[in-house]
Amino acid sequence: MATQVLILVVEDDPDVQNVVQECLSDGGFEAVMASSGESAIELLDVAKGKYRALITDINLRPGRIDGWHVARHAREIEPNFPIVYMSGRDADDWASQGVPNSIMLAKPFAPAQLVTAVSNLLNAAPPTG
Amino acid sequence: MATQVLILVVEDDPDVQNVVQECLSDGGFEAVMASSGESAIELLDVAKGKYRALITDINLRPGRIDGWHVARHAREIEPNFPIVYMSGRDADDWASQGVPNSIMLAKPFAPAQLVTAVSNLLNAAPPTG
Amino acid sequence: MATQVLILVVEDDPDVQNVVQECLSDGGFEAVMASSGESAIELLDVAKGKYRALITDINLRPGRIDGWHVARHAREIEPNFPIVYMSGRDADDWASQGVPNSIMLAKPFAPAQLVTAVSNLLNAAPPTG
Amino acid sequence: MATQVLILVVEDDPDVQNVVQECLSDGGFEAVMASSGESAIELLDVAKGKYRALITDINLRPGRIDGWHVARHAREIEPNFPIVYMSGRDADDWASQGVPNSIMLAKPFAPAQLVTAVSNLLNAAPPTG
Amino acid sequence: MATQVLILVVEDDPDVQNVVQECLSDGGFEAVMASSGESAIELLDVAKGKYRALITDINLRPGRIDGWHVARHAREIEPNFPIVYMSGRDADDWASQGVPNSIMLAKPFAPAQLVTAVSNLLNAAPPTG
Amino acid sequence: MATQVLILVVEDDPDVQNVVQECLSDGGFEAVMASSGESAIELLDVAKGKYRALITDINLRPGRIDGWHVARHAREIEPNFPIVYMSGRDADDWASQGVPNSIMLAKPFAPAQLVTAVSNLLNAAPPTG
């Protein structure tokens, strides 16, 4: 079980980046940080199965690609890709903007909620050869 | 139990309209037909709780509003609104374009699948005063 | 498959009794009617596995045993007993008065919703010798 | 929606065959009957996506292939294949012999239970191109 | 994410209080302790959304308000309120006395079970503005 | 809550044994190790409710009892017994060889996934007197 379980995290606030990184590390996951939707999409486009899940903030920067867009892009590449959104004031939009079988974590949330959300989505995903 | 359970159906093919209307009628539902996404949105905007669920085709007409858009609009008005999509070649896009807690019926499907899909979503929706 | 699948229905309104009986009959179930909570409890107490599910109205008569009470009684006898409630103005109380893994059908509902609700609960119940 | 939704049914009792065929037909499905596990496996091996779900009895004939085996074979070909078992005295063995995400219908069951079981499994299956 | 996620815990045994407090703290939650059902109800009545979930023991003291009652009260105020029960000998009564969409942790349970139960209920709750 | 929650773990690789033991211990569970399917079955046969869940590797040794077999044996004794499989190259066979309501963890997985999987299955299991 030497291989790592990489999770792509899209977040532009360094403080939240640190909190998320620490949560995931405590759960035994390896976080890869992208600080904009644009760079997340670049990483996903060349990933070929490298990442096992996406955790994304919604508001990434005015006038730029948001978390809803990044998640849809990830699902176009891999239809079963586990998606967790994190948001404060945009959490209400999940019902209209989120993708099926995703989880919205409304801020504030506890670290255990993030780890449980990612674990549940990974455990439910059908194994692939 | 005299009041009807109205289901808004968005479909531009008259043959499919007839099949869906008959399915719903057999299950005891009352179908209201819209033949374009534009008219569906108009109906939803003035509905104020009149409809209990949305059944929508995806490809409604080239260059016009599609079913993904109609469903997002319905969810912006009412976050728990039950949504069933029907599609043939676009069924694969559900993972990236569908809304959470919706059902995609890939054509061809049997009438019982449509009635069961609508019933399950209605039965799961939290009762509201 | 000659043996019948008996469903105990608690309802004091003869019109609703007829509608429910017809729905269940269309689905291939056999309805046994009780017109008060008191008689439902008597039937359950002597049933010994005779009924496979309970469908109960909430308001059965002022000052008498209500549907919440009947359902709790059924679950004391058999912890996995399938329960469907039907109600109009009391549907909101399901979150505080309903039992776990039950379904609330808020009136008005379509016949297919009732049949689907009962079928789902029966299909999910663990088989017993 | 002219194309049919074919369901492979494995059952050696002609009376039960008739009941199942009628249930499925009422729900708009097309049943294809196999009267032994051996012939079911032959049909599955050449099917290439022809059937959308399997409904199988457990005890098909002493000393012959049983329903547990047929279901495992179907899942080896297609990991998401919808499976419904029907049984009387073997229903208890589902917890140890059934495949994941399958449904056991313990006899006697009502026709609506069979149609709801098949519909739910089909509606939950991820759409495939 | 500076704001805390407060969980109301109702427990009269100081030893169990300590265990629960430590579990929740490890998961990043903040526990608020009530040592009787009466004081829990007072706290809920003035809370106005302050608490995000309720964890309650069942037997709080002979002749006093029990955990079943506290949970129903919490759901009357907020129909989607996450509820976790903890119990030893009363765990069997959950099927008849528990509220819908709640979790019963039968003692003894591991700390991870409590944290996972609370996290799952919070993650499933629809976001509210 | 002094009593321990014992989890039976079947694994022949000492390195993986250590990882699993540490994960479970961090979550507050007590692991009991069996290094072959044969010894796991012996332990289950005399257990009488001693263990609360089974975590099993699939490939235990060529020509010996594998994890699929151990899980079926555990479910024959106790139909609701929580089962988690761990596997690398055999994860794909879960759809045809796994038991209902089990979880397959495809290697590599993070420690949090294992703890969440066990916790969810235990929390969902109906309490028994």
Side-chain angles (χ1 to χ4, degrees):
Chain A
M1 308 216 298
T3 322
Q4 295 165 323
V5 182
L6 296 183
I7 311 292
L8 180 60
V9 179
V10 195
E11 175 59 65
D12 57 356
D13 179 332
D15 291 346
V16 181
Q17 279 190 4
N18 289 339
V19 171
V20 170
Q21 187 131 33
E22 203 183 314
C23 295
L24 291 177
S25 176
D26 284 353
F29 298 103
E30 187 80 10
V32 175
M33 287 291 159
S35 56
S36 74
E38 283 78 3
S39 64
I41 283 177
E42 275 181 48
L43 289 169
L44 288 166
D45 281 343
V46 299
K48 294 178 187 288
K50 185 177 174 188
Y51 307 108
R52 299 276 302 277
L54 172 73
I55 300 176
T56 183
D57 191 19
I58 299 304
N59 277 308
L60 291 163
R61 213 152 299 186
R64 305 286 289 281
I65 289 178
D66 62 16
W68 307 124
H69 186 100
V70 177
R72 287 194 196 112
H73 189 85
R75 284 286 181 84
E76 282 163 10
I77 299 172
E78 165 53 46
N80 293 315
F81 205 65
I83 308 277
V84 178
Y85 304 100
M86 306 178 292
S87 187
R89 63 175 193 275
D90 296 301
D92 286 353
D93 295 337
W94 177 73
S96 59
Q97 298 299 322
V99 293
N101 302 320
S102 62
I103 293 177
M104 166 56 78
L105 294 180
K107 295 179 189 169
F109 55 83
Q113 287 180 255
L114 181 63
V115 170
T116 303
V118 173
S119 296
N120 279 336
L121 292 175
L122 283 168
N123 292 356
T128 52
Chain B
M1 309 221 294
T3 322
Q4 295 165 323
V5 181
L6 296 184
I7 311 292
L8 180 59
V9 179
V10 194
E11 175 59 65
D12 57 356
D13 178 333
D15 290 345
V16 182
Q17 279 190 3
N18 288 341
V19 172
V20 171
Q21 187 131 32
E22 203 182 313
C23 294
L24 292 176
S25 176
D26 284 353
F29 299 102
E30 186 79 11
V32 174
M33 287 291 159
S35 56
S36 73
E38 284 77 2
S39 65
I41 282 177
E42 275 182 47
L43 289 170
L44 287 166
D45 282 342
V46 300
K48 294 176 187 288
K50 185 177 173 190
Y51 306 108
R52 300 277 301 279
L54 171 72
I55 299 175
T56 184
D57 191 17
I58 299 302
N59 278 307
L60 291 163
R61 212 154 298 190
R64 305 286 289 281
I65 289 178
D66 61 17
W68 306 125
H69 187 101
V70 177
R72 288 196 195 109
H73 190 86
R75 282 288 181 83
E76 282 163 11
I77 299 173
E78 166 52 46
N80 293 314
F81 204 66
I83 309 276
V84 178
Y85 303 100
M86 307 179 291
S87 187
R89 64 175 192 275
D90 295 301
D92 286 352
D93 294 336
W94 177 73
S96 59
Q97 298 299 322
V99 294
N101 303 319
S102 62
I103 293 176
M104 165 57 78
L105 294 180
K107 294 179 189 169
F109 54 84
Q113 288 180 256
L114 182 63
V115 170
T116 303
V118 172
S119 296
N120 280 336
L121 291 175
L122 283 167
N123 292 358
T128 52
Chain C
M1 310 220 297
T3 322
Q4 295 166 325
V5 182
L6 295 183
I7 311 292
L8 180 59
V9 179
V10 195
E11 175 60 65
D12 58 357
D13 180 333
D15 291 345
V16 182
Q17 279 189 3
N18 289 340
V19 171
V20 170
Q21 188 131 33
E22 203 182 314
C23 294
L24 290 177
S25 176
D26 284 352
F29 299 102
E30 186 81 10
V32 175
M33 288 291 159
S35 56
S36 73
E38 284 77 4
S39 64
I41 281 176
E42 275 181 49
L43 289 170
L44 287 166
D45 281 343
V46 299
K48 293 177 188 290
K50 184 176 173 189
Y51 307 109
R52 299 276 302 278
L54 171 72
I55 299 175
T56 183
D57 191 17
I58 299 303
N59 278 308
L60 291 164
R61 213 152 299 187
R64 306 285 289 281
I65 289 178
D66 61 16
W68 306 124
H69 186 101
V70 177
R72 286 194 196 112
H73 190 86
R75 283 285 182 86
E76 283 163 9
I77 299 173
E78 165 52 46
N80 292 314
F81 204 65
I83 309 277
V84 178
Y85 304 101
M86 305 179 292
S87 186
R89 65 175 192 276
D90 296 301
D92 287 351
D93 294 336
W94 177 74
S96 58
Q97 299 299 321
V99 293
N101 302 320
S102 62
I103 292 175
M104 166 56 78
L105 293 181
K107 294 179 189 169
F109 55 83
Q113 287 180 256
L114 182 63
V115 170
T116 303
V118 173
S119 296
N120 279 334
L121 292 174
L122 284 168
N123 292 357
T128 52
Chain D
M1 308 221 296
T3 322
Q4 294 166 324
V5 181
L6 296 184
I7 311 291
L8 180 60
V9 180
V10 195
E11 174 61 63
D12 57 356
D13 179 333
D15 290 347
V16 182
Q17 279 190 3
N18 289 341
V19 172
V20 171
Q21 187 132 34
E22 201 182 315
C23 294
L24 291 177
S25 175
D26 284 354
F29 299 101
E30 186 80 9
V32 174
M33 288 291 160
S35 56
S36 73
E38 284 77 3
S39 64
I41 282 177
E42 274 181 49
L43 289 170
L44 287 166
D45 282 342
V46 300
K48 295 176 186 286
K50 184 176 173 189
Y51 307 109
R52 299 277 302 278
L54 171 73
I55 300 175
T56 183
D57 192 16
I58 299 304
N59 278 307
L60 292 163
R61 213 153 300 187
R64 305 287 290 281
I65 289 178
D66 61 16
W68 306 124
H69 186 100
V70 177
R72 286 195 196 111
H73 189 85
R75 283 287 181 85
E76 282 163 10
I77 299 172
E78 165 53 47
N80 293 314
F81 204 65
I83 308 277
V84 178
Y85 303 100
M86 307 179 292
S87 187
R89 64 175 192 277
D90 295 302
D92 287 352
D93 295 337
W94 177 74
S96 59
Q97 298 299 321
V99 293
N101 302 320
S102 62
I103 293 176
M104 166 57 78
L105 294 180
K107 296 179 189 170
F109 55 83
Q113 288 180 255
L114 181 63
V115 170
T116 303
V118 173
S119 296
N120 280 334
L121 291 175
L122 284 168
N123 292 356
T128 51
Chain E
M1 309 218 296
T3 322
Q4 295 166 322
V5 182
L6 296 183
I7 311 293
L8 182 58
V9 179
V10 195
E11 175 60 64
D12 58 357
D13 180 332
D15 290 345
V16 182
Q17 279 189 5
N18 289 339
V19 171
V20 170
Q21 187 132 32
E22 203 183 313
C23 295
L24 291 177
S25 176
D26 283 354
F29 299 102
E30 187 80 10
V32 174
M33 288 290 158
S35 55
S36 74
E38 285 76 3
S39 65
I41 282 177
E42 275 181 48
L43 289 169
L44 287 167
D45 282 344
V46 300
K48 294 178 187 288
K50 185 177 173 188
Y51 307 109
R52 299 276 301 279
L54 172 73
I55 299 175
T56 184
D57 191 19
I58 299 304
N59 277 308
L60 290 164
R61 213 154 298 189
R64 306 285 289 280
I65 289 178
D66 61 17
W68 306 124
H69 186 101
V70 177
R72 286 194 196 111
H73 190 86
R75 282 287 181 84
E76 283 163 10
I77 299 172
E78 165 52 45
N80 292 315
F81 204 65
I83 309 276
V84 178
Y85 304 99
M86 306 178 293
S87 187
R89 62 174 194 275
D90 296 302
D92 286 353
D93 295 337
W94 177 73
S96 59
Q97 298 300 321
V99 293
N101 302 320
S102 62
I103 292 175
M104 165 57 78
L105 293 180
K107 295 178 188 171
F109 55 83
Q113 287 180 255
L114 181 63
V115 170
T116 303
V118 173
S119 295
N120 279 336
L121 292 174
L122 284 168
N123 292 356
T128 52
Chain F
M1 311 219 294
T3 322
Q4 295 165 324
V5 182
L6 296 183
I7 310 292
L8 181 59
V9 179
V10 195
E11 174 60 64
D12 57 357
D13 179 334
D15 291 345
V16 181
Q17 279 189 4
N18 289 341
V19 171
V20 171
Q21 187 131 31
E22 203 182 313
C23 293
L24 291 176
S25 177
D26 283 353
F29 298 102
E30 187 80 10
V32 174
M33 287 290 157
S35 55
S36 73
E38 284 77 3
S39 65
I41 282 177
E42 276 181 47
L43 290 170
L44 287 167
D45 282 342
V46 299
K48 293 178 186 286
K50 185 177 172 188
Y51 307 108
R52 300 276 301 279
L54 172 72
I55 299 176
T56 185
D57 191 17
I58 299 303
N59 277 307
L60 292 163
R61 213 154 298 188
R64 305 287 289 283
I65 290 178
D66 61 16
W68 306 124
H69 186 101
V70 177
R72 287 195 195 110
H73 189 86
R75 282 286 181 82
E76 282 162 11
I77 298 172
E78 166 53 47
N80 292 315
F81 204 65
I83 309 276
V84 178
Y85 303 101
M86 306 179 292
S87 188
R89 63 174 192 275
D90 296 301
D92 286 351
D93 295 336
W94 178 73
S96 59
Q97 298 299 322
V99 293
N101 302 320
S102 62
I103 292 176
M104 166 56 78
L105 294 181
K107 295 179 188 169
F109 55 83
Q113 287 180 255
L114 181 63
V115 170
T116 304
V118 173
S119 296
N120 279 336
L121 292 175
L122 283 168
N123 292 357
T128 53

